[in-house]
Amino acid sequence: LGCDGSQRSMSLSLRDLSEIKALKKPPPPIRMLMEVCCMLFNIQPVKLVDEKSTQGRLRLDYWEPARRYLLSDPFFLHKLRTYDDQLSLVQRAKIRRHFKDAEFTAERIRNCSKAAHELYVWVEKLIQVQRQQVHGRGAPSIASPGQCSAGQVA
């Protein structure tokens, strides 16, 4: 995301991250967003007993790891600004599945949380850039930290 006005810049702040982190039982779109963020930063889920299962099956949960390792990280905004890792094929496939889910849309996330919507916009743009790089289309680069004001994520 550029900060030069040619593309919508993002103004995600620590306050926004605190708002997301404060959610005790986040709605599915927010959970999905944080799952994607965990995938981007290689944060592993925890296994919890699935309350819906009568056989005591386990389910993968990304919410607590996201709260602990991303939303509580004072450098998370910096890590977002400077993210340049290449996604593996497996990561891309998992993330793509989320973006195909009807629950995981910008509008649904905005209805849940404006702060989460800002993060969603960044993640969506990052995935587009990654896709262009993989397909060799000379993708636009994500702005470096020096190109944006301190409260913005590029």
Side-chain angles (χ1 to χ4, degrees):
L1 290 172
C3 295
D4 61 358
S6 64
Q7 296 176 336
R8 183 186 182 284
S9 66
M10 192 169 138
S11 57
L12 188 64
S13 68
L14 289 174
R15 187 176 184 173
D16 293 329
L17 297 179
S18 293
E19 177 187 316
I20 299 168
K21 182 183 171 187
L23 298 170
K24 296 296 180 212
K25 290 196 174 235
I30 305 293
R31 282 185 169 275
M32 294 171 78
L33 175 63
M34 294 317 300
E35 185 172 331
V36 168
C37 289
C38 284
M39 288 180 210
L40 288 172
F41 289 98
N42 297 307
I43 306 291
Q44 298 302 310
V46 293
K47 292 180 182 177
L48 300 176
V49 175
D50 190 347
E51 305 87 35
K52 298 174 187 170
S53 172
T54 56
Q55 290 90 25
R57 290 193 184 152
L58 298 177
R59 66 177 173 83
L60 297 179
D61 181 70
Y62 285 89
W63 179 244
E64 284 308 317
R67 288 181 76 206
R68 184 177 303 127
Y69 299 113
L70 296 178
L71 297 172
S72 296
D73 181 352
F75 300 105
F76 184 49
L77 286 176
H78 176 73
K79 290 175 183 176
L80 289 173
R81 286 185 199 111
T82 58
Y83 187 90
D84 67 353
D85 293 357
Q86 287 298 315
L87 297 175
S88 71
L89 291 173
V90 172
Q91 284 174 304
R92 270 199 301 280
K94 287 180 179 179
I95 291 169
R96 204 173 303 122
R97 257 182 275 151
H98 281 68
F99 279 97
K100 289 180 179 178
D101 190 312
E103 286 265 338
F104 194 63
T105 65
E107 186 176 331
R108 285 187 186 251
I109 289 179
R110 189 183 314 110
N111 289 339
C112 297
S113 161
K114 181 190 175 298
H117 178 257
E118 295 290 337
L119 183 55
Y120 175 90
V121 169
W122 179 85
V123 169
E124 183 179 45
K125 182 64 180 172
L126 175 75
I127 299 307
Q128 290 171 355
V129 168
Q130 290 271 332
R131 189 177 306 129
Q132 290 172 347
Q133 288 174 344
V134 167
H135 297 340
R137 292 192 195 132
S141 63
I142 296 178
S144 68
Q147 295 173 304
C148 296
S149 65
Q152 294 180 319
V153 173

PDB file of all heavy atoms in Angstrom, residues 73-96:
ATOM      1  N   ASP A  73       2.107  -7.754  20.592  1.00  0.00           N
ATOM      2  CA  ASP A  73       3.476  -7.432  20.205  1.00  0.00           C
ATOM      3  C   ASP A  73       3.595  -5.933  19.916  1.00  0.00           C
ATOM      4  O   ASP A  73       2.959  -5.429  18.985  1.00  0.00           O
ATOM      5  CB  ASP A  73       3.841  -8.238  18.952  1.00  0.00           C
ATOM      6  CG  ASP A  73       5.256  -8.006  18.479  1.00  0.00           C
ATOM      7  OD1 ASP A  73       5.952  -7.106  19.006  1.00  0.00           O
ATOM      8  OD2 ASP A  73       5.682  -8.727  17.557  1.00  0.00           O
ATOM      9  N   PRO A  74       4.394  -5.194  20.704  1.00  0.00           N
ATOM     10  CA  PRO A  74       4.524  -3.749  20.466  1.00  0.00           C
ATOM     11  C   PRO A  74       5.153  -3.432  19.106  1.00  0.00           C
ATOM     12  O   PRO A  74       5.057  -2.309  18.629  1.00  0.00           O
ATOM     13  CB  PRO A  74       5.410  -3.264  21.611  1.00  0.00           C
ATOM     14  CG  PRO A  74       6.098  -4.476  22.124  1.00  0.00           C
ATOM     15  CD  PRO A  74       5.214  -5.656  21.818  1.00  0.00           C
ATOM     16  N   PHE A  75       5.764  -4.418  18.460  1.00  0.00           N
ATOM     17  CA  PHE A  75       6.396  -4.208  17.155  1.00  0.00           C
ATOM     18  C   PHE A  75       5.554  -4.740  16.001  1.00  0.00           C
ATOM     19  O   PHE A  75       6.006  -4.774  14.860  1.00  0.00           O
ATOM     20  CB  PHE A  75       7.786  -4.857  17.129  1.00  0.00           C
ATOM     21  CG  PHE A  75       8.701  -4.296  18.176  1.00  0.00           C
ATOM     22  CD1 PHE A  75       8.988  -5.027  19.318  1.00  0.00           C
ATOM     23  CD2 PHE A  75       9.249  -3.033  18.040  1.00  0.00           C
ATOM     24  CE1 PHE A  75       9.812  -4.506  20.304  1.00  0.00           C
ATOM     25  CE2 PHE A  75      10.078  -2.502  19.021  1.00  0.00           C
ATOM     26  CZ  PHE A  75      10.362  -3.239  20.155  1.00  0.00           C
ATOM     27  N   PHE A  76       4.311  -5.164  16.291  1.00  0.00           N
ATOM     28  CA  PHE A  76       3.461  -5.741  15.249  1.00  0.00           C
ATOM     29  C   PHE A  76       3.237  -4.747  14.100  1.00  0.00           C
ATOM     30  O   PHE A  76       3.323  -5.126  12.935  1.00  0.00           O
ATOM     31  CB  PHE A  76       2.132  -6.222  15.834  1.00  0.00           C
ATOM     32  CG  PHE A  76       1.246  -6.922  14.844  1.00  0.00           C
ATOM     33  CD1 PHE A  76       1.726  -7.934  14.031  1.00  0.00           C
ATOM     34  CD2 PHE A  76      -0.095  -6.579  14.729  1.00  0.00           C
ATOM     35  CE1 PHE A  76       0.907  -8.592  13.121  1.00  0.00           C
ATOM     36  CE2 PHE A  76      -0.925  -7.227  13.833  1.00  0.00           C
ATOM     37  CZ  PHE A  76      -0.422  -8.228  13.026  1.00  0.00           C
ATOM     38  N   LEU A  77       2.983  -3.479  14.405  1.00  0.00           N
ATOM     39  CA  LEU A  77       2.785  -2.492  13.340  1.00  0.00           C
ATOM     40  C   LEU A  77       4.028  -2.373  12.463  1.00  0.00           C
ATOM     41  O   LEU A  77       3.936  -2.308  11.242  1.00  0.00           O
ATOM     42  CB  LEU A  77       2.428  -1.123  13.923  1.00  0.00           C
ATOM     43  CG  LEU A  77       1.016  -0.983  14.478  1.00  0.00           C
ATOM     44  CD1 LEU A  77       0.839   0.397  15.102  1.00  0.00           C
ATOM     45  CD2 LEU A  77      -0.021  -1.222  13.418  1.00  0.00           C
ATOM     46  N   HIS A  78       5.192  -2.373  13.108  1.00  0.00           N
ATOM     47  CA  HIS A  78       6.438  -2.313  12.345  1.00  0.00           C
ATOM     48  C   HIS A  78       6.587  -3.555  11.463  1.00  0.00           C
ATOM     49  O   HIS A  78       6.987  -3.461  10.301  1.00  0.00           O
ATOM     50  CB  HIS A  78       7.637  -2.187  13.290  1.00  0.00           C
ATOM     51  CG  HIS A  78       8.950  -2.210  12.575  1.00  0.00           C
ATOM     52  ND1 HIS A  78       9.405  -1.146  11.826  1.00  0.00           N
ATOM     53  CD2 HIS A  78       9.886  -3.183  12.477  1.00  0.00           C
ATOM     54  CE1 HIS A  78      10.574  -1.472  11.289  1.00  0.00           C
ATOM     55  NE2 HIS A  78      10.890  -2.695  11.671  1.00  0.00           N
ATOM     56  N   LYS A  79       6.261  -4.710  12.009  1.00  0.00           N
ATOM     57  CA  LYS A  79       6.352  -5.953  11.235  1.00  0.00           C
ATOM     58  C   LYS A  79       5.401  -5.927  10.048  1.00  0.00           C
ATOM     59  O   LYS A  79       5.732  -6.430   8.975  1.00  0.00           O
ATOM     60  CB  LYS A  79       6.064  -7.161  12.134  1.00  0.00           C
ATOM     61  CG  LYS A  79       7.166  -7.422  13.137  1.00  0.00           C
ATOM     62  CD  LYS A  79       6.797  -8.542  14.076  1.00  0.00           C
ATOM     63  CE  LYS A  79       7.877  -8.759  15.128  1.00  0.00           C
ATOM     64  NZ  LYS A  79       7.493  -9.789  16.111  1.00  0.00           N
ATOM     65  N   LEU A  80       4.226  -5.324  10.229  1.00  0.00           N
ATOM     66  CA  LEU A  80       3.285  -5.190   9.112  1.00  0.00           C
ATOM     67  C   LEU A  80       3.872  -4.279   8.041  1.00  0.00           C
ATOM     68  O   LEU A  80       3.816  -4.592   6.853  1.00  0.00           O
ATOM     69  CB  LEU A  80       1.956  -4.606   9.601  1.00  0.00           C
ATOM     70  CG  LEU A  80       1.067  -5.494  10.449  1.00  0.00           C
ATOM     71  CD1 LEU A  80      -0.119  -4.692  10.974  1.00  0.00           C
ATOM     72  CD2 LEU A  80       0.583  -6.696   9.669  1.00  0.00           C
ATOM     73  N   ARG A  81       4.437  -3.152   8.474  1.00  0.00           N
ATOM     74  CA  ARG A  81       4.998  -2.188   7.521  1.00  0.00           C
ATOM     75  C   ARG A  81       6.125  -2.776   6.690  1.00  0.00           C
ATOM     76  O   ARG A  81       6.307  -2.422   5.544  1.00  0.00           O
ATOM     77  CB  ARG A  81       5.541  -0.961   8.257  1.00  0.00           C
ATOM     78  CG  ARG A  81       4.505  -0.043   8.775  1.00  0.00           C
ATOM     79  CD  ARG A  81       5.176   1.205   9.369  1.00  0.00           C
ATOM     80  NE  ARG A  81       4.242   1.845  10.245  1.00  0.00           N
ATOM     81  CZ  ARG A  81       4.358   1.893  11.562  1.00  0.00           C
ATOM     82  NH1 ARG A  81       5.396   1.379  12.157  1.00  0.00           N
ATOM     83  NH2 ARG A  81       3.440   2.476  12.288  1.00  0.00           N
ATOM     84  N   THR A  82       6.922  -3.633   7.322  1.00  0.00           N
ATOM     85  CA  THR A  82       8.133  -4.127   6.656  1.00  0.00           C
ATOM     86  C   THR A  82       7.993  -5.559   6.156  1.00  0.00           C
ATOM     87  O   THR A  82       8.983  -6.167   5.765  1.00  0.00           O
ATOM     88  CB  THR A  82       9.334  -4.033   7.621  1.00  0.00           C
ATOM     89  OG1 THR A  82       9.053  -4.803   8.800  1.00  0.00           O
ATOM     90  CG2 THR A  82       9.603  -2.583   7.997  1.00  0.00           C
ATOM     91  N   TYR A  83       6.779  -6.089   6.155  1.00  0.00           N
ATOM     92  CA  TYR A  83       6.574  -7.483   5.746  1.00  0.00           C
ATOM     93  C   TYR A  83       7.028  -7.677   4.308  1.00  0.00           C
ATOM     94  O   TYR A  83       6.589  -6.973   3.399  1.00  0.00           O
ATOM     95  CB  TYR A  83       5.092  -7.852   5.870  1.00  0.00           C
ATOM     96  CG  TYR A  83       4.838  -9.325   5.636  1.00  0.00           C
ATOM     97  CD1 TYR A  83       4.861 -10.218   6.686  1.00  0.00           C
ATOM     98  CD2 TYR A  83       4.601  -9.823   4.358  1.00  0.00           C
ATOM     99  CE1 TYR A  83       4.640 -11.572   6.489  1.00  0.00           C
ATOM    100  CE2 TYR A  83       4.384 -11.175   4.151  1.00  0.00           C
ATOM    101  CZ  TYR A  83       4.402 -12.042   5.218  1.00  0.00           C
ATOM    102  OH  TYR A  83       4.191 -13.385   5.016  1.00  0.00           O
ATOM    103  N   ASP A  84       7.930  -8.623   4.102  1.00  0.00           N
ATOM    104  CA  ASP A  84       8.359  -8.925   2.740  1.00  0.00           C
ATOM    105  C   ASP A  84       8.636 -10.407   2.533  1.00  0.00           C
ATOM    106  O   ASP A  84       9.284 -10.789   1.563  1.00  0.00           O
ATOM    107  CB  ASP A  84       9.577  -8.081   2.351  1.00  0.00           C
ATOM    108  CG  ASP A  84      10.818  -8.448   3.155  1.00  0.00           C
ATOM    109  OD1 ASP A  84      10.711  -9.253   4.097  1.00  0.00           O
ATOM    110  OD2 ASP A  84      11.901  -7.918   2.840  1.00  0.00           O
ATOM    111  N   ASP A  85       8.135 -11.233   3.433  1.00  0.00           N
ATOM    112  CA  ASP A  85       8.321 -12.676   3.286  1.00  0.00           C
ATOM    113  C   ASP A  85       7.565 -13.174   2.058  1.00  0.00           C
ATOM    114  O   ASP A  85       6.523 -12.646   1.706  1.00  0.00           O
ATOM    115  CB  ASP A  85       7.784 -13.433   4.512  1.00  0.00           C
ATOM    116  CG  ASP A  85       8.595 -13.158   5.761  1.00  0.00           C
ATOM    117  OD1 ASP A  85       9.603 -12.436   5.682  1.00  0.00           O
ATOM    118  OD2 ASP A  85       8.215 -13.664   6.820  1.00  0.00           O
ATOM    119  N   GLN A  86       8.121 -14.181   1.438  1.00  0.00           N
ATOM    120  CA  GLN A  86       7.410 -14.838   0.352  1.00  0.00           C
ATOM    121  C   GLN A  86       6.559 -15.945   0.953  1.00  0.00           C
ATOM    122  O   GLN A  86       7.039 -16.736   1.759  1.00  0.00           O
ATOM    123  CB  GLN A  86       8.403 -15.433  -0.660  1.00  0.00           C
ATOM    124  CG  GLN A  86       9.078 -14.386  -1.509  1.00  0.00           C
ATOM    125  CD  GLN A  86       8.092 -13.603  -2.346  1.00  0.00           C
ATOM    126  OE1 GLN A  86       7.204 -14.159  -2.964  1.00  0.00           O
ATOM    127  NE2 GLN A  86       8.245 -12.287  -2.360  1.00  0.00           N
ATOM    128  N   LEU A  87       5.303 -15.983   0.563  1.00  0.00           N
ATOM    129  CA  LEU A  87       4.407 -17.013   1.074  1.00  0.00           C
ATOM    130  C   LEU A  87       4.663 -18.324   0.347  1.00  0.00           C
ATOM    131  O   LEU A  87       4.896 -18.338  -0.865  1.00  0.00           O
ATOM    132  CB  LEU A  87       2.951 -16.595   0.860  1.00  0.00           C
ATOM    133  CG  LEU A  87       2.493 -15.339   1.586  1.00  0.00           C
ATOM    134  CD1 LEU A  87       1.072 -14.998   1.172  1.00  0.00           C
ATOM    135  CD2 LEU A  87       2.578 -15.531   3.078  1.00  0.00           C
ATOM    136  N   SER A  88       4.579 -19.411   1.094  1.00  0.00           N
ATOM    137  CA  SER A  88       4.711 -20.728   0.465  1.00  0.00           C
ATOM    138  C   SER A  88       3.419 -21.038  -0.289  1.00  0.00           C
ATOM    139  O   SER A  88       2.389 -20.393  -0.078  1.00  0.00           O
ATOM    140  CB  SER A  88       4.956 -21.798   1.534  1.00  0.00           C
ATOM    141  OG  SER A  88       3.768 -21.997   2.297  1.00  0.00           O
ATOM    142  N   LEU A  89       3.476 -22.040  -1.138  1.00  0.00           N
ATOM    143  CA  LEU A  89       2.279 -22.449  -1.875  1.00  0.00           C
ATOM    144  C   LEU A  89       1.175 -22.874  -0.916  1.00  0.00           C
ATOM    145  O   LEU A  89       0.002 -22.571  -1.122  1.00  0.00           O
ATOM    146  CB  LEU A  89       2.613 -23.591  -2.837  1.00  0.00           C
ATOM    147  CG  LEU A  89       3.507 -23.217  -4.015  1.00  0.00           C
ATOM    148  CD1 LEU A  89       3.901 -24.458  -4.803  1.00  0.00           C
ATOM    149  CD2 LEU A  89       2.813 -22.208  -4.911  1.00  0.00           C
ATOM    150  N   VAL A  90       1.550 -23.564   0.162  1.00  0.00           N
ATOM    151  CA  VAL A  90       0.575 -24.022   1.157  1.00  0.00           C
ATOM    152  C   VAL A  90      -0.068 -22.821   1.851  1.00  0.00           C
ATOM    153  O   VAL A  90      -1.292 -22.766   2.002  1.00  0.00           O
ATOM    154  CB  VAL A  90       1.242 -24.971   2.183  1.00  0.00           C
ATOM    155  CG1 VAL A  90       0.293 -25.297   3.316  1.00  0.00           C
ATOM    156  CG2 VAL A  90       1.729 -26.240   1.506  1.00  0.00           C
ATOM    157  N   GLN A  91       0.750 -21.849   2.256  1.00  0.00           N
ATOM    158  CA  GLN A  91       0.210 -20.642   2.899  1.00  0.00           C
ATOM    159  C   GLN A  91      -0.758 -19.924   1.960  1.00  0.00           C
ATOM    160  O   GLN A  91      -1.845 -19.530   2.365  1.00  0.00           O
ATOM    161  CB  GLN A  91       1.334 -19.662   3.266  1.00  0.00           C
ATOM    162  CG  GLN A  91       2.142 -20.022   4.479  1.00  0.00           C
ATOM    163  CD  GLN A  91       3.314 -19.055   4.639  1.00  0.00           C
ATOM    164  OE1 GLN A  91       4.122 -18.887   3.734  1.00  0.00           O
ATOM    165  NE2 GLN A  91       3.396 -18.418   5.796  1.00  0.00           N
ATOM    166  N   ARG A  92      -0.330 -19.750   0.707  1.00  0.00           N
ATOM    167  CA  ARG A  92      -1.183 -19.053  -0.256  1.00  0.00           C
ATOM    168  C   ARG A  92      -2.506 -19.776  -0.448  1.00  0.00           C
ATOM    169  O   ARG A  92      -3.561 -19.148  -0.494  1.00  0.00           O
ATOM    170  CB  ARG A  92      -0.468 -18.908  -1.596  1.00  0.00           C
ATOM    171  CG  ARG A  92       0.326 -17.640  -1.689  1.00  0.00           C
ATOM    172  CD  ARG A  92       0.644 -17.272  -3.126  1.00  0.00           C
ATOM    173  NE  ARG A  92       1.399 -18.271  -3.848  1.00  0.00           N
ATOM    174  CZ  ARG A  92       2.715 -18.436  -3.751  1.00  0.00           C
ATOM    175  NH1 ARG A  92       3.418 -17.671  -2.958  1.00  0.00           N
ATOM    176  NH2 ARG A  92       3.322 -19.366  -4.452  1.00  0.00           N
ATOM    177  N   ALA A  93      -2.462 -21.094  -0.541  1.00  0.00           N
ATOM    178  CA  ALA A  93      -3.695 -21.870  -0.739  1.00  0.00           C
ATOM    179  C   ALA A  93      -4.637 -21.720   0.452  1.00  0.00           C
ATOM    180  O   ALA A  93      -5.843 -21.515   0.279  1.00  0.00           O
ATOM    181  CB  ALA A  93      -3.352 -23.343  -0.964  1.00  0.00           C
ATOM    182  N   LYS A  94      -4.097 -21.799   1.660  1.00  0.00           N
ATOM    183  CA  LYS A  94      -4.927 -21.645   2.861  1.00  0.00           C
ATOM    184  C   LYS A  94      -5.528 -20.253   2.936  1.00  0.00           C
ATOM    185  O   LYS A  94      -6.715 -20.090   3.244  1.00  0.00           O
ATOM    186  CB  LYS A  94      -4.101 -21.916   4.123  1.00  0.00           C
ATOM    187  CG  LYS A  94      -3.779 -23.369   4.339  1.00  0.00           C
ATOM    188  CD  LYS A  94      -2.969 -23.536   5.615  1.00  0.00           C
ATOM    189  CE  LYS A  94      -2.636 -24.993   5.883  1.00  0.00           C
ATOM    190  NZ  LYS A  94      -1.830 -25.145   7.098  1.00  0.00           N
ATOM    191  N   ILE A  95      -4.725 -19.248   2.655  1.00  0.00           N
ATOM    192  CA  ILE A  95      -5.206 -17.871   2.723  1.00  0.00           C
ATOM    193  C   ILE A  95      -6.242 -17.614   1.630  1.00  0.00           C
ATOM    194  O   ILE A  95      -7.267 -16.981   1.865  1.00  0.00           O
ATOM    195  CB  ILE A  95      -4.025 -16.883   2.644  1.00  0.00           C
ATOM    196  CG1 ILE A  95      -3.192 -16.985   3.937  1.00  0.00           C
ATOM    197  CG2 ILE A  95      -4.503 -15.458   2.410  1.00  0.00           C
ATOM    198  CD1 ILE A  95      -1.866 -16.266   3.895  1.00  0.00           C
ATOM    199  N   ARG A  96      -6.004 -18.140   0.436  1.00  0.00           N
ATOM    200  CA  ARG A  96      -6.945 -17.976  -0.675  1.00  0.00           C
ATOM    201  C   ARG A  96      -8.313 -18.550  -0.308  1.00  0.00           C
ATOM    202  O   ARG A  96      -9.348 -17.978  -0.646  1.00  0.00           O
ATOM    203  CB  ARG A  96      -6.390 -18.652  -1.928  1.00  0.00           C
ATOM    204  CG  ARG A  96      -6.962 -18.069  -3.202  1.00  0.00           C
ATOM    205  CD  ARG A  96      -6.310 -18.615  -4.461  1.00  0.00           C
ATOM    206  NE  ARG A  96      -4.870 -18.414  -4.486  1.00  0.00           N
ATOM    207  CZ  ARG A  96      -3.970 -19.392  -4.608  1.00  0.00           C
ATOM    208  NH1 ARG A  96      -4.334 -20.641  -4.715  1.00  0.00           N
ATOM    209  NH2 ARG A  96      -2.684 -19.127  -4.620  1.00  0.00           N
TER     210      ARG A  96
END
